[in-house]
Amino acid sequence: MRANIALAPACAAVAMAALIALTCQSAWAYPGGPLHDVTDAAPYCAGCHSSVGVEQLRELPPEQARQRTAIIAHIDAIKSGRGPYAKLNPQQRMELIADVEKVDANSKIAIEVPQQVKAGEKFTVTARAQGGSGPVFGIMLLDVDLRDQAREIQGEGFQIASPPKVIGPDGKPQDQWLGRRYDGLAHNLNFVVVFGVKTDLATGKFSSATVTYDLVAPSKPGKYTICAALMYGTETASPIGRVEVAGRPMPLGGFAGPSGRILFSKVADIQVR
Ligand code: HEC
């Protein structure tokens, strides 16, 4: 498994950089969302997150793909009391797994895309998402559902014509994310962090939000694909999975733990005529 060995230093480097950043800048954090990365994004950035299934890793050898799925990287780690989960007794491990599975079962993302458009035509794509552990989740508009190789939708030749419109969990338009863009920078990003996400496992309540993108079709006719990804957390929704670090809620599995997720919508075909 040469590739696994090669992966290890990369993960350690990410974790180290992340820890340094955490100690230097308490407002910067990944659990809690990548709140300073207010730019276009693709899911490869979420290296610590686990995948909801192997399909999004289908370019990898099957065993490598399996190791990055939530069931192996996260659930099995809790089950066997690996690392930070060692402090839980068997009953608590079962409860944490049940909580995490409930978050996963209620986390969804879907998109609406027209079947065909004319080259250069303006049209709308809507992404609807639900779930996560809160206080935020992230939505990205992409070309394909491959976690390590998906591109921002602009990479395929679609332009994002205006700032994406976010309707938050309270049903109101939300500008908290794009409002963080530095003075004068354009707001037409493919990535949005949605704020105000509240999850209550006891009552089974989950937040949902929509993001609407105005796109301009590529000038070159042909068959294209569009999909969306949801970046969310699981553990901080659980009373067992939530710990306080420097006064902030953090997942028990740690800053660089596997409790984050990458979930894709179905991939929509779109014909540009
Ligand atoms: C250092 C590891 C790490 C990296 C790198 C990382 N994340 Fe995360 N992220 C996490 C963890 C751990 C959680 C889960 C918190 C939980 O389980 O509740 C998380 C959760 C999230 C959440 C939901 C917020 C929350 O607290 O539940 C979003 C949105 C998110 N990540 C987006 C991203 C994006 C986008 C990137 C790439 C720019 C990224 N993450 C990179 C570790 C990471």
Side-chain angles (χ1 to χ4, degrees):
M1 285 264 104
R2 197 187 301 150
N4 270 346
I5 295 163
L7 272 176
C11 289
V14 167
M16 190 52 75
L19 282 174
I20 291 165
L22 181 69
T23 13
C24 303
Q25 266 179 291
S26 62
W28 185 95
Y30 278 136
L35 298 186
H36 289 255
D37 303 336
V38 193
T39 184
D40 293 316
Y44 72 86
C45 83
C48 311
H49 292 219
S50 42
S51 292
V52 298
V54 284
E55 323 74 49
Q56 54 178 265
L57 292 156
R58 57 191 180 272
E59 83 284 8
L60 289 181
E63 184 48 30
Q64 250 184 61
R66 217 173 68 91
Q67 294 298 332
R68 292 173 69 189
T69 57
I71 188 82
I72 303 295
H74 191 204
I75 305 293
D76 269 11
I78 303 173
K79 212 178 268 172
S80 55
R82 278 209 300 272
Y85 304 111
K87 35 175 128 41
L88 302 180
N89 66 37
Q91 175 64 28
Q92 291 171 317
R93 286 178 203 169
M94 273 170 54
E95 279 172 35
L96 178 56
I97 289 172
D99 284 351
V100 162
E101 285 177 344
K102 197 164 177 190
V103 177
D104 279 328
N106 286 282
S107 298
K108 308 169 194 184
I109 181 153
I111 49 166
E112 278 166 37
V113 178
Q115 283 176 345
Q116 48 175 308
V117 291
K118 291 200 194 87
E121 187 185 333
K122 213 170 157 182
F123 67 101
T124 296
V125 168
T126 304
R128 282 174 217 288
Q130 171 190 299
S133 55
V136 301
F137 55 55
I139 295 176
M140 298 169 180
L141 197 65
L142 305 162
D143 58 349
V144 293
D145 58 345
L146 281 176
R147 106 172 239 179
D148 291 340
Q149 298 191 14
R151 302 172 77 177
E152 291 94 355
I153 194 66
Q154 301 95 313
E156 218 184 353
F158 292 92
Q159 285 171 41
I160 300 180
S162 51
K165 289 183 216 51
V166 183
I167 303 293
D170 59 359
K172 296 187 182 136
Q174 199 181 85
D175 189 34
Q176 268 151 291
W177 178 245
L178 295 173
R180 300 175 77 100
R181 285 281 280 173
Y182 187 62
D183 295 353
L185 293 182
H187 285 193
N188 58 336
L189 303 181
N190 84 317
F191 175 49
V192 171
V193 169
V194 175
F195 293 82
V197 173
K198 294 194 188 86
T199 300
D200 188 340
L201 291 179
T203 57
K205 288 214 176 78
F206 293 86
S207 291
S208 56
T210 63
V211 181
T212 308
Y213 296 88
D214 291 329
L215 300 185
V216 178
S219 53
K220 195 167 157 244
K223 206 183 141 203
Y224 294 81
T225 56
I226 299 182
C227 71
L230 179 65
M231 309 285 128
Y232 68 91
T234 57
E235 273 184 17
T236 49
S238 166
I240 296 170
R242 189 172 52 242
V243 294
E244 289 260 313
V245 177
R248 300 181 50 242
M250 288 289 285
L252 175 67
F255 183 76
S259 66
R261 293 287 188 272
I262 299 177
L263 170 71
F264 286 92
S265 72
K266 286 206 180 100
V267 178
D269 290 325
I270 177 166
Q271 191 74 39
V272 175
R273 290 179 296 126

